Amino acid sequence: MTAQNQTPVTAESLQSEITRHLKLSLGKDPKHASLYDWRMSLSLALRDQVVEPWFASTRQTYEGKHKRVYYLSMEFLIGRLIEDVTINLDVEGVAVEAMSALGQDYYTVVANEPDAALGNGGLGRLAACFMDSLATLAIPAYGYGIRYEHGLFEQHFENGQQTETAEGWLAQRHVWEFERPEVAYNIHFGGYVSDEGGKAHWHPAETVLASAYDTPVVGWKGKWANTLRLWAAKPVKLFDLDSFNRGDYVGANAPERLARTISRVLYPDDTTQDGKELRLKQEYFFTSASIKDLLRRFLSEGNKIEDLPNHVAIQLNDTHPAIAGPELVRLLIDKHDLSEEAAIDTARQCLAYTNHTLLPEALESWPEDLFARILPRHHRIIQMIQERHLQQTGSHVRIIEHGNVKMGELAFVMAHHVNGVSALHSELVKETVFSDLHAAYPDRILNQTNGITPRRWLYSCNPALRGLINDTIGTAWHTDLEQLQDLNAHLDDASFQQAFRAAKATNKDRMAKWLKDRNGITLDTSAMFDIQIKRIHEYKRQHMNILETIALWNEIRDNPTANWTPRVKIFGGKAAPGYALAKSIIHLINDVAATINNDPVTKDLLQVVYPENYNVSMAEILIPASDLSEQISTAGKEASGTGNMKLSLNGSPTIGTLDGANVEIREHVGAENFFLFGLTAQEADAKRGEHGYSRRAIESSPVLSRVLGQIAAGVFSAGDRYRYSDILHNLYEHDYFLLSCDFDEYFAKQREVDAVYQDVPRWTRMAAANTAGMGWFSSDRTIRGYAKDIWGTASVI
Ligand code: B1H
């Protein structure tokens, strides 16, 4: 392989490459270089190191005629890339030295890089972790997505309320990508379909160009690199000269504006679907370009179209690219003359679909008239797919029903396998949304429990713990995370325990310094850092956490001299801009923080902080510093969770429900190292059948009643009794997410956490047992599962 042929990078060679790029790529001399110039030069010098392995991997895949994986995803939440590359190439030390020789601090330069936030949350970050594992495992793969001009919005708090501004990562040069102007496809929309000589012809009304931008994704030790290919929308006609000549200067730019809208902005809705025309266009835009691109590659290798499934595995990351099925069928029939039956069979053998949520508001469906207007040919093809499905299985499940095109049903019918993302979730997929389709296709659904890349989520973000693990059990865990279980032999060893606590203290200090620099807030680093970081959603129950915080505040004030365990409650996360109740929850957290943080009675015992604009880079600072991980979703609602894995891996025990991957985390780290509470998914369902359950639960809980009474009295809203009536009304009258029913047990479990935290050896043992037990949750394990059970691919080196 490749990386071996490359001369090893030294601090001197890197330094001279950085200087060369500063001069020749940035046009600056060191005396006048800004932080931006240094970052660009460093990035370019590092990017150069990736090119050889990247070429070699591509060449080897081509020569070996290896099957390729195509991961289609609306979201890739990749974050910063400098650190990713230096870690994977094992040149961080060298980079630090080179920058220092140039009078620059490497870490300051790294922190200057904007996050590539091309995703909302877990689903997008999972795609990024999968790309890392695919490269590390040397599985030939392409990620296909959209090159959004604006990633996820920036969150600000004004008087405690979330406001949003557009994110602008591409306002600066993005040096990691290579523009591929020669790789472009016409993507069509609208128009009508005619029948000519027994063949359908689509006469589209509108066309935009999908233009490729490639970012190499290098794996561990630079042994393999794959490609993340993102599509930007451009006008087919650059400029309308006729309009310009008529003096219509605005009109002259219309083609460009129209086209660019498609890849302009990431939809900021996590687990809700909007049903907007632009979103459907985005989905078809990137999916069609990707399918055309993979077909071109396949045919350029001299293959016969019938052979497609032996060379191509397409994974649909949720239903967002589900139009891939009809698009592939369309091309096979209309352009490659396959029969309808052969086209559907061939496409199905290539396609697999991952379901990421059961929440009804997230299940995509499009009004049939809108769908038929934008994609008339696909509308017909879906009708045809539906007919064959109904005939062949005798099933009554339709893809188009009550005037809606249902993308989940479409993806299911067109996939050879459908997977859920945790053991519990996959069972629920079988029992609930897809129970009828499961009966019709009983071998189709399987499970692949999510994972996280240990390169970013331990090795890179937690150097203190990384060092301790290396010193304790060696370095085999770098490529085989399950080796972490060797730590189990050291859990009761006093010197190991002390070193483990020292690593945590280092991370807490780092976070405290970060917060001080950012917001001027001082944290008590001897207090327990209790962290809930994720999108704000009722099912994730951040409001249960803040109500518990108020309850604790009450108890401390009632009895200030008792033996309390000091806590810092830390929140991070964004609400979808249109999700009013989630925004109220944010407001409440900030209001409660303002009240509690100014209370002289409790100030040394309880603090609430909510840094704005949570993103991947913030996660990399918060996660290693966490003592307690809040995973408190209503059972049955969080498909998997991946933040739960990151926190536990970094030595932060979970307080949580039996939901999503929590169930498997608890099995792996041991029930004694997990603070379990709450209704099970089954109990939750039964509870919803009991009329008036929430009011009854509130009335029988003095602790919760008191808290809700304080909110209603305006204690946290300067006397405003109505500020939180939406939350209160919801809890009393409805409470679908069963906060009221789980609250007392949650509060009691938190007091148990307090007690255990004071038993320092016991707590340290628990925290370290979490790290030791989490090896299975490497995304390398997940990707091996997909490769074996779904894709029929393997490592090629
Ligand atoms: C998850 C989404 C999601 N599930 C729609 N579904 C979106 C749905 O923009 N949209 O329309 C965006 C995102 N995201 C998450 O996936 C689950 O909630 C997590 O539990 C899971 O860990 C993650 C990865 O599987």
Side-chain angles (χ1 to χ4, degrees), residues 75 120 122-123 126 267 269-272 279 318 320 356-357 421 450 539 638-642:
E75 305 191 6
N120 274 290
L123 173 144
L126 186 75
Y267 269 79
D269 297 294
D270 190 80
T271 54
T272 41
R279 169 80 177 199
D318 216 286
H320 317 146
H356 291 270
T357 179
V421 290
N450 283 168
Y539 84 80
E638 188 70 272
S640 162
T642 44

Coordinates of all heavy atoms in Angstrom, one line a residue, residues 75 120 122-123 126 267 269-272 279 318 320 356-357 421 450 539 638-642, ligand 1:
E75 N -27.1 14.3 5.2 CA -26.4 15.0 6.2 C -25.0 14.3 6.4 O -25.0 13.1 6.5 CB -27.1 15.0 7.5 CG -28.5 15.6 7.4 CD -29.2 15.8 8.8 OE1 -28.5 15.6 9.8 OE2 -30.4 16.2 8.8
N120 N -27.8 17.8 11.3 CA -28.6 18.3 12.4 C -28.2 17.7 13.7 O -28.1 18.4 14.7 CB -30.1 17.9 12.2 CG -30.8 18.9 11.4 OD1 -31.1 20.0 11.9 ND2 -31.2 18.6 10.2
G122 N -27.6 13.4 15.4 CA -27.1 12.0 15.4 C -27.0 11.4 14.1 O -26.0 10.7 13.8
L123 N -28.0 11.6 13.2 CA -28.1 10.9 11.9 C -26.9 11.4 11.1 O -26.2 10.6 10.4 CB -29.4 11.2 11.3 CG -29.6 10.8 9.8 CD1 -31.1 10.3 9.7 CD2 -29.3 11.9 8.9
L126 N -23.5 10.2 12.6 CA -23.3 8.8 12.3 C -22.7 8.6 10.9 O -21.8 7.8 10.8 CB -24.7 8.1 12.4 CG -24.6 6.6 12.3 CD1 -24.0 5.9 13.6 CD2 -25.9 5.9 11.9
Y267 N -31.9 21.9 5.8 CA -33.1 22.0 6.6 C -32.8 21.7 8.1 O -32.2 20.7 8.4 CB -34.2 21.0 6.1 CG -35.1 21.6 5.0 CD1 -34.6 21.7 3.7 CD2 -36.3 22.0 5.3 CE1 -35.4 22.2 2.7 CE2 -37.1 22.6 4.4 CZ -36.7 22.7 3.1 OH -37.5 23.3 2.1
D269 N -34.6 20.8 10.6 CA -35.5 20.0 11.4 C -34.9 18.7 11.6 O -34.6 17.9 10.7 CB -36.8 19.9 10.7 CG -37.5 21.3 10.5 OD1 -37.9 21.8 11.5 OD2 -37.6 21.7 9.3
D270 N -34.8 18.4 12.9 CA -34.3 17.1 13.3 C -35.6 16.3 13.7 O -36.4 16.7 14.5 CB -33.4 17.2 14.5 CG -32.7 15.9 14.8 OD1 -31.7 15.7 14.2 OD2 -33.1 15.2 15.8
T271 N -35.7 15.1 13.1 CA -36.9 14.2 13.3 C -38.3 14.9 13.2 O -39.2 14.5 13.8 CB -36.8 13.6 14.7 OG1 -36.6 14.5 15.7 CG2 -35.7 12.6 14.8
T272 N -38.3 15.9 12.3 CA -39.7 16.3 11.8 C -39.5 16.5 10.4 O -38.5 17.0 9.9 CB -40.3 17.6 12.4 OG1 -39.2 18.5 12.5 CG2 -40.9 17.4 13.7
R279 N -37.4 20.8 -0.3 CA -36.8 19.7 0.3 C -36.9 18.5 -0.6 O -35.9 17.7 -0.8 CB -37.5 19.4 1.6 CG -37.2 18.0 2.3 CD -35.9 18.1 3.1 NE -35.7 16.8 3.7 CZ -34.8 16.6 4.7 NH1 -34.1 17.6 5.2 NH2 -34.7 15.5 5.3
D318 N -31.7 6.8 6.2 CA -33.1 7.1 6.3 C -33.8 7.3 5.0 O -33.2 6.9 3.9 CB -33.2 8.4 7.2 CG -34.5 8.3 8.1 OD1 -35.6 8.5 7.5 OD2 -34.3 8.1 9.3
H320 N -34.6 9.9 3.3 CA -34.3 11.1 2.6 C -33.8 10.8 1.1 O -34.2 11.6 0.2 CB -33.3 12.1 3.3 CG -33.7 12.2 4.8 ND1 -32.7 12.3 5.8 CD2 -34.9 12.1 5.4 CE1 -33.3 12.3 7.0 NE2 -34.6 12.2 6.8
H356 N -34.1 5.4 11.1 CA -33.5 6.0 12.3 C -34.6 6.5 13.3 O -34.2 7.1 14.3 CB -32.7 7.2 11.8 CG -31.4 6.8 11.1 ND1 -30.3 6.6 11.8 CD2 -31.2 6.6 9.8 CE1 -29.3 6.3 10.9 NE2 -29.9 6.3 9.7
T357 N -35.8 6.4 13.0 CA -36.8 6.9 14.0 C -38.2 6.3 13.7 O -38.5 6.0 12.6 CB -36.9 8.4 13.9 OG1 -37.8 8.9 14.9 CG2 -37.3 9.0 12.6
V421 N -31.4 0.8 14.3 CA -30.1 1.2 14.7 C -29.7 0.9 16.2 O -28.7 1.3 16.7 CB -29.9 2.8 14.5 CG1 -29.8 3.1 13.0 CG2 -31.1 3.5 15.1
N450 N -25.8 1.2 16.3 CA -24.9 2.3 15.9 C -23.6 2.2 16.7 O -23.5 1.5 17.7 CB -25.6 3.6 16.3 CG -26.6 4.1 15.4 OD1 -27.4 5.0 15.6 ND2 -26.7 3.5 14.2
Y539 N -39.3 14.5 23.4 CA -39.0 13.1 23.8 C -37.7 12.9 24.5 O -37.5 11.9 25.2 CB -39.2 12.2 22.5 CG -38.0 12.0 21.6 CD1 -36.9 11.2 22.0 CD2 -37.9 12.8 20.5 CE1 -35.8 11.0 21.2 CE2 -36.8 12.6 19.6 CZ -35.7 11.7 20.0 OH -34.6 11.6 19.2
E638 N -36.2 7.1 21.5 CA -34.8 7.4 21.0 C -34.4 6.2 20.3 O -34.1 5.1 20.9 CB -33.9 7.7 22.1 CG -32.5 8.2 21.7 CD -32.6 9.6 21.1 OE1 -32.8 9.7 19.8 OE2 -32.4 10.6 21.8
A639 N -34.3 6.3 18.9 CA -33.9 5.1 18.2 C -32.7 4.4 18.7 O -32.6 3.2 18.9 CB -33.8 5.4 16.7
S640 N -31.6 5.2 18.9 CA -30.4 4.6 19.4 C -29.7 5.6 20.4 O -29.6 5.3 21.5 CB -29.4 4.3 18.2 OG -28.1 4.2 18.7
G641 N -29.4 6.8 19.9 CA -28.5 7.7 20.6 C -27.1 7.3 20.2 O -26.8 6.1 20.0
T642 N -26.3 8.3 20.2 CA -24.8 8.0 20.0 C -24.0 8.9 20.9 O -22.9 8.5 21.3 CB -24.4 8.3 18.5 OG1 -25.0 9.6 18.1 CG2 -24.8 7.2 17.6
Ligands
B1H1 C1 -32.4 10.5 13.9 C2 -33.4 11.6 12.4 C3 -33.7 12.7 11.5 N1 -33.5 9.8 13.6 C4 -35.3 13.7 10.0 N2 -34.1 10.6 12.6 C5 -34.4 14.7 9.7 C6 -35.0 12.7 10.8 O1 -34.0 16.7 8.6 N3 -34.8 15.7 8.8 O2 -35.9 15.7 8.2 C7 -33.2 14.7 10.4 C8 -32.9 13.7 11.2 N4 -32.3 11.6 13.2 C9 -31.4 10.0 14.9 O3 -30.5 9.1 14.3 C10 -32.1 9.3 16.1 O4 -33.0 10.2 16.7 C11 -31.0 8.9 17.1 O5 -31.6 8.1 18.1 C12 -30.0 8.0 16.4 O6 -28.9 7.7 17.3 C13 -29.4 8.7 15.2 C14 -28.5 7.9 14.4 O7 -29.1 6.6 14.1

